[in-house]
Amino acid sequence: MSELENAIEAILFVAEQPVELSRLAKAVEAKEVEVTTALASLENRLKDRGIVLLKTNHRYQLVTAPNLASVVERFIGQQFRAELSRPALETLAIIAYRQPVSRADVEAIRGVSSEQTMRSLLLRGLVAESGHSQTPGQAKLYRTTAKFLQVLGLTETDKLPPLDEQIEEL
Amino acid sequence: MAYQVALINFEGPLDLLLQLIEKAEVEITNISLAELTNQYLKYIGQLEGLDPEELNGFLSVAAKLAYIKSLALLPQLSPEDAEEMADLGRQLGEYAKFQKAAEQLKRLLQLKEVAYQRSAPAPAFQPPQTSLELTQLQHTYQQLMAKLPKQSTVAMELITIEQATGRLRASLGQRPEMDLDELVGQAGDRQTALVFFLALLELLKNQAVNVIQEGQFQTIRIKACLS
């Protein structure tokens, strides 16, 4: 394990929120490529530990290992529970697998207005705005957040269960 | 022909169609869609209170279904139109895929394996950079105190109803009668007057005093009862 890796670990330990790769690189005075490599090594080193490395959209965060949720909850005296309606789950699924997406993209798939469910997901901090599309309308685009990964107990969106890509052909 | 139209909860036209397909246990094909057309129409016939925009979505899918059905019945129609038909099937397939994904997310949520982030913010106190003199601290303190509103009045301790009752009894022991204005005057402030008034009511209840008022807005006289 390198000094760089330790420095990154220390910064992520004190950070209260996911840290952007660029900020991390600046803090440790290294190139982003080097930081990415060190992060991969750190992630590997954290296997079988009480904390894991969470990554979302070039942001990194140390969080407690998902399988320790009950112990942590007993200690902090509270637990996070997300009860989501079916429309909210559908909307969340579309954003998670197709991100970044606009609300129109979501509605095209669901065939119904998704304004309210979108707003409730934004309020819960499970999705967030992430730039605008390059198309003429410049629609707002949405992504899932670090909190989304936290409540699902995933370290990155790539770890989502594979989407059943098999479309019944006519 | 009788259709069993059980009430199901659906969200939008595609959801309804997918549920019908699932119930019929068929694949998403043009033939099955054509067969489900009547059922679908039956359902949307029951829809009430939809706003025009929502209804529009249901009708647009209904139109596609009717078209698909007509093509199934008249296969000699030009096959180029099949492209348009395939659209609905593709859309349904896509939606079905995400409904499954939504189920997966739900299952993950139910595992309750939440990863927690640091709950308390790290200490954020930063000592001042410049060297600090004791006199500066004193000066700052005085400035701060000058800004604070001056607290001139200290709330007086209120007398209790028991104490007031005692005082009232004592007054009435010395002279046979007094009036309420006098009593209020003696009290000095409003809160004490209120306590005296409560004391008076207490004595009245215990039949220790009599209260006389000749007419409206007349002086209220208090007399001790002879016991």
Side-chain angles (χ1 to χ4, degrees):
Chain A
M1 79 203 70
S2 67
E3 223 166 282
L4 177 63
E5 207 177 308
N6 288 344
I8 291 167
E9 188 177 10
I11 288 165
L12 292 180
F13 174 74
V14 292
E16 295 158 38
Q17 285 182 345
V19 186
E20 261 178 63
L21 179 63
S22 57
R23 214 178 142 211
L24 211 48
K26 217 169 152 190
V28 296
E29 295 175 327
K31 289 191 192 119
E32 287 188 12
V33 200
E34 294 167 342
V35 175
T36 312
T37 315
L39 280 164
S41 164
L42 175 63
E43 182 188 16
N44 210 33
R45 205 147 52 84
L46 289 177
K47 285 199 174 114
D48 304 319
R49 292 270 307 272
I51 46 174
V52 293
L53 183 67
L54 185 146
K55 36 185 170 165
T56 174
N57 198 20
H58 305 295
R59 285 159 209 262
Y60 298 82
Q61 187 181 29
L62 288 180
V63 291
T64 62
N67 60 339
L68 297 174
S70 56
V71 185
V72 176
E73 283 161 2
R74 209 181 311 137
F75 175 73
I76 61 175
Q78 60 184 45
Q79 40 184 246
F80 184 88
R81 290 291 173 260
E83 288 285 321
L84 293 176
S85 63
R86 201 163 67 92
L89 281 167
E90 282 176 15
T91 305
L92 192 57
I94 294 166
I95 299 170
Y97 285 94
R98 285 285 152 86
Q99 54 190 320
V101 289
S102 68
R103 202 180 85 208
D105 295 334
V106 174
E107 289 173 348
I109 293 172
R110 297 188 62 226
V112 280
S113 164
S114 304
E115 192 179 350
Q116 276 188 350
T117 51
M118 200 69 141
R119 203 180 309 144
S120 101
L121 291 174
L122 280 165
L123 268 174
R124 287 159 176 263
L126 296 173
V127 302
E129 279 178 27
S130 175
H132 296 265
S133 78
Q134 299 300 312
T135 53
Q138 298 210 333
K140 277 181 196 160
L141 295 176
Y142 299 90
R143 279 181 184 280
T144 53
T145 59
K147 190 172 179 189
F148 165 78
L149 293 175
Q150 288 168 18
V151 299
L152 290 180
L154 301 171
T155 53
E156 55 184 312
T157 44
D158 288 356
K159 299 268 164 70
L160 279 166
L163 188 61
D164 187 6
E165 283 294 351
Q166 184 194 341
I167 305 172
E168 285 100 325
E169 289 294 337
L170 295 178
Chain B
M1 219 189 303
Y3 285 103
Q4 284 189 332
V5 184
L7 273 177
I8 52 174
N9 282 323
F10 51 86
E11 231 226 327
L14 295 180
D15 191 28
L16 170 59
L17 204 44
L18 276 180
Q19 289 193 37
L20 292 178
I21 287 165
E22 202 175 310
K23 252 175 65 180
E25 293 178 7
V26 291
E27 298 281 295
I28 304 172
T29 61
N30 280 337
I31 296 160
S32 62
L33 286 177
E35 279 170 356
L36 288 168
T37 304
N38 284 0
Q39 270 198 57
Y40 178 86
L41 291 174
K42 194 105 184 167
Y43 268 104
I44 66 167
Q46 293 184 323
L47 292 176
E48 276 172 20
L50 275 189
D51 65 55
E53 206 175 314
E54 274 182 287
L55 190 63
N56 183 30
F58 280 98
L59 291 179
S60 141
V61 170
K64 283 182 191 166
L65 280 176
Y67 184 64
I68 289 168
K69 188 170 183 183
S70 68
L71 284 187
L73 293 173
L74 305 163
Q76 65 268 36
L77 280 177
S78 62
E80 321 145 18
D81 295 329
E83 189 60 35
E84 200 179 314
M85 280 171 19
D87 256 15
L88 183 60
R90 215 178 333 230
Q91 210 182 348
L92 281 171
E94 182 86 340
Y95 187 32
K97 201 165 70 182
F98 283 106
Q99 283 197 340
K100 268 184 220 156
E103 282 298 313
Q104 299 261 43
L105 292 191
K106 192 178 178 184
R107 235 166 293 152
L108 280 176
L109 280 173
Q110 282 168 344
L111 286 178
K112 296 174 182 176
E113 296 203 332
V114 180
Y116 285 92
Q117 63 178 18
R118 179 186 284 290
S119 56
F125 175 73
Q126 285 176 347
Q129 297 290 316
T130 53
S131 62
L132 196 63
E133 302 268 319
L134 186 61
T135 48
Q136 277 179 293
L137 197 62
Q138 193 185 14
H139 185 65
T140 311
Y141 176 75
Q142 279 165 350
Q143 274 186 329
L144 191 66
M145 290 314 282
K147 273 190 208 159
L148 285 176
K150 296 242 170 0
Q151 192 136 17
S152 53
T153 52
V154 177
M156 275 210 317
E157 204 182 330
L158 276 178
I159 64 165
T160 64
I161 296 178
E162 286 76 27
Q163 286 168 339
T165 313
R167 295 236 310 252
L168 204 55
R169 272 183 197 278
S171 303
L172 288 169
Q174 285 164 7
R175 26 198 205 126
E177 194 185 309
M178 66 191 293
D179 58 45
L180 188 66
D181 293 341
E182 199 183 330
L183 186 67
V184 173
Q186 270 181 19
D189 63 280
R190 205 184 294 189
Q191 278 173 316
T192 314
L194 203 66
V195 178
F196 268 115
F197 185 69
L198 289 171
L200 178 63
L201 292 179
E202 187 70 19
L203 288 174
L204 195 62
K205 195 184 84 185
N206 296 338
Q207 297 182 332
V209 293
N210 260 338
V211 174
I212 304 142
Q213 189 180 28
E214 309 282 31
Q216 250 187 355
F217 305 117
Q218 299 277 310
T219 311
I220 297 171
R221 289 182 292 139
I222 307 159
K223 272 184 170 178
C225 281
L226 300 172
S227 51

